[in-house]
Amino acid sequence: MKISLALSGGGFRATVFHLGVLARLARSNKMEQVELLSTVSGGSLCAGLVFSLNNCQWPDSKTFLEKVEPEAHQLMTTFDLQGSLIQRAFGTFWTLLETRASALSGLMQKHWKMTANLLDLPEKPRWMINTTCYETGKNWRFERLRMGDYVFGYSNTTGIRLSDAVAASAGFPGLIGALAFETGGRKWFKYVEQPTASQLSTNAQEDPNWVKVEIQPKYETVHLWDGGVYDNHGLEGIYDFGKGWSERFGFLIVSDAAGTAGEERYRKGIAALMRLSSGIMMNQVRSLRTRAMVARLVEHPEIDQGVFLQMGNTYKGILKSARREDLLPKDGHGVLADGEAEIAARMATKISKLPEEEYERMFHHGYEVADATLSAYYPADYQPVAYQR
């Protein structure tokens, strides 16, 4: 089975939730079947960490469970990335002149072993790192052999640091900010007839039938922000609202760890603007994409196969919705309490060191949302596998 993964944004909340999802796939020996990754923000941090802790290779299931996840667990509960970022940004006069995205990139190189560049990535799985280009307002994607967006243009000269691409994808407004990316010194082009998003995503190599024309960049520098501003699910390069996703992408797993904003008393100034723009408005966009994809799953199961893993859903609630309550352990052993799932979904979007209890809750939550959803809807391929440490 060919598996495609779309890992949403959401800071470390998303990073750890996705690690739990990957652990569930590994328990069924499915990591080897992952052929496409599309990641945003916290999802990009997750994938970057996985690759970096395994010598820039996608791990097999055994390696993920025995080596990669334990090392990721250790890093995220002992090293304070956010605190170090603030300290670096305000430590000296010279670092005050850097963007925080550049500082984040440097910290990931030093502490997360993220020293590779895009060209070092393996062909499989193909990884698309999603950002938002301020100048064009479009989804700019970094990958091993191509980067850019359809308005600005593309380049096949991708010898840049992986940590820069991940930092741009995770550049949450107000916390990290944009990565200033210099476009000079590279050849840029546009397609005479723009390939569809599906064609661009399906073809890791350039199709010889696509006619390209060389262009001069309109901007010497582009500013690349959090990919979640444009598409927090990372579906832009995979999903077509009219046609769904092609069978060429195989079994699509969307892991949505955006969390829930909840209610809030009115606050004046920048706090109110941030809640409106990066809170309410972005949540509404995510909701529309979610409904569209879930509708595809329900209405066209013979064409599009996959699951939508939603943070905040409970094990019992998922099985009840699927009418598979028979899968629920009789004593409830190993299942998070409903209140724990809600606590996980309300965790703030941050990249600071996580207490052991918080990491364990989030990881467990991702694992069991994946376990309940996959075993309920695709029992032939996924039997329930109880969570254990």
Side-chain angles (χ1 to χ4, degrees), residues 102-117:
S102 296
L104 176 61
S105 174
L107 288 169
M108 289 190 292
Q109 291 173 50
K110 181 178 180 180
H111 299 281
W112 281 20
K113 305 177 184 178
M114 199 178 292
T115 56
N117 66 33

Side-chain angles (χ1 to χ4, degrees), residues 87-143:
Q87 183 178 16
R88 176 166 174 165
F90 294 98
T92 68
F93 173 77
W94 298 112
T95 52
L96 278 172
L97 302 179
E98 295 179 351
T99 67
R100 285 188 290 276
S102 296
L104 176 61
S105 174
L107 288 169
M108 289 190 292
Q109 291 173 50
K110 181 178 180 180
H111 299 281
W112 281 20
K113 305 177 184 178
M114 199 178 292
T115 56
N117 66 33
L118 290 181
L119 290 173
D120 295 322
L121 291 172
E123 290 186 19
K124 177 186 173 183
R126 185 178 177 193
W127 182 16
M128 297 185 291
I129 305 170
N130 296 277
T131 74
T132 303
C133 179
Y134 177 88
E135 281 74 12
T136 65
K138 302 301 179 184
N139 172 221
W140 177 296
R141 292 195 291 272
F142 286 104
E143 52 183 307

